[in-house]
């Protein structure tokens, strides 16, 4: 089986971007706080990752939790979208919902306009907010008209493999928008995800950093402070090999 599906790796550092690059990834999604689902990276982090040479798409997400935002949060994320692109990001990864579970198309349009005001070539990805939408298949059909490049989805399931049937339906509804399958993905899952027609596969390829645990002293978060991960070169290479098989 041959495929042109792309490989995207979620990373939190320039070192992770280098591992992804050397393992054969096509691009990275850059964020901080991966253990929180990912948050907006700093300007310096975007700049340093850009210098590694692999295209980096910066997550723009101002806080953990849900995807219904107030005006101040939206204004900040609009500014962050412009800032990360000016710092060298190849694209932004954004999302917003209304309280009824529909996509907040007005906010999403602002995000797309902010990105393209910096670079007409900027790619804009809708993140897994779509998996919390009331009807992900209907939602994906609206993205082409909003100017999105792609959407990251698990098919509204805990893992992309579990949501493969819905991802297949989303691919059929997406038009020119690329559907990227991600969530709980391992290299062994790649053939099943490619079979959905997805244009790309997304995974974090992470392993715990040695010596990162410091149990017994609470750090104010939901975990014990040991949620520090590194990008695993062997996992990236295995995912690349599975895509190329």
């Amino acid at each position: 089986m041959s495929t042109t599906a792309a490989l995207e790796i979620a990373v939190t550092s320039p070192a992770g971007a280098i591992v992804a690059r050397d393992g054969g990834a096509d691009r990275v999604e850059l964020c901080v706080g991966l253990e929180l689902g990912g948050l907006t990276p700093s300007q310096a982090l975007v700049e340093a990752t850009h210098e590694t040479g692999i295209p980096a798409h910066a997550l723009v997400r101002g806080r953990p939790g849900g995807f219904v935002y107030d005006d101040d949060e939206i204004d900040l994320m609009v500014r962050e979208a412009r800032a990360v692109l000016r710092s060298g990001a190849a694209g932004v990864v954004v999302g917003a919902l209304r309280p009824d579970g529909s996509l907040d198309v007005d906010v999403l349009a602002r995000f797309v306009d902010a990105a393209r005001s910096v670079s007409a070539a900027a790619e804009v990805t809708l993140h897994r907010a779509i998996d919390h939408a009331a009807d992900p298949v209907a939602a994906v059909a609206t993205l082409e008209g909003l100017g999105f490049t792609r959407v990251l989805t698990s098919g509204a399931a805990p893992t992309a493999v579990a949501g493969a049937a819905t991802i297949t339906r989303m691919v059929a509804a997406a038009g020119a928008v690329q559907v990227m399958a991600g969530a709980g993905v391992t290299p062994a899952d790649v053939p099943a995800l490619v079979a959905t027609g997805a244009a790309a596969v997304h995974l974090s390829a992470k392993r715990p950093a040695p010596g990162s645990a410091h149990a017994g002293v609470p750090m104010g978060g939901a975990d014990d402070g040991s949620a520090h991960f590194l990008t695993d070169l062997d996992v990236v290479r295995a995912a690349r090999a599975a895509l190329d098989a």
Side-chain angles (χ1 to χ4, degrees), residues 38-229:
L39 300 171
T40 308
S42 70
Q43 176 183 341
L45 179 52
V46 177
E47 290 173 349
T49 302
H50 173 66
E51 291 171 2
T52 70
I54 189 168
H57 295 250
L59 180 64
V60 175
R61 182 172 178 239
R63 57 156 173 81
F67 304 106
V68 179
Y69 300 109
D70 64 30
D71 290 343
D72 289 340
E73 291 171 326
I74 295 163
D75 289 344
L76 178 59
M77 287 189 286
V78 166
R79 294 180 68 163
E80 287 180 327
R82 295 189 184 112
V84 295
L85 288 164
R86 289 170 181 149
S87 298
V92 293
V93 184
V94 298
L97 297 176
R98 292 176 174 144
D100 65 359
S102 62
L103 293 181
D104 194 328
V105 294
D106 295 330
V107 173
L108 296 178
R110 285 189 63 189
F111 291 157
V112 172
D113 288 346
R116 301 274 161 70
S117 73
V118 176
S119 170
E123 297 188 354
V124 186
T125 299
L126 179 68
H127 59 50
R128 291 190 58 218
I130 198 165
D131 293 324
H132 296 263
D135 187 340
V137 177
V140 80
T142 69
L143 298 182
E144 185 174 2
L146 291 169
F148 276 83
T149 308
R150 71 179 57 85
V151 57
L152 171 62
T153 182
S154 67
T159 67
V161 167
T166 300
I167 293 173
T168 300
R169 293 170 59 212
M170 294 172 76
V171 169
V177 173
Q178 302 167 24
V179 176
M180 178 165 55
V185 174
T186 69
D189 298 327
V190 167
L193 297 177
V194 170
T196 68
V201 174
H202 168 105
L203 62 155
S204 58
K206 64 181 184 290
R207 59 179 172 82
S212 63
H214 47 263
V217 182
M219 298 298 291
D223 57 68
D224 64 1
S226 62
H228 175 210
F229 301 100

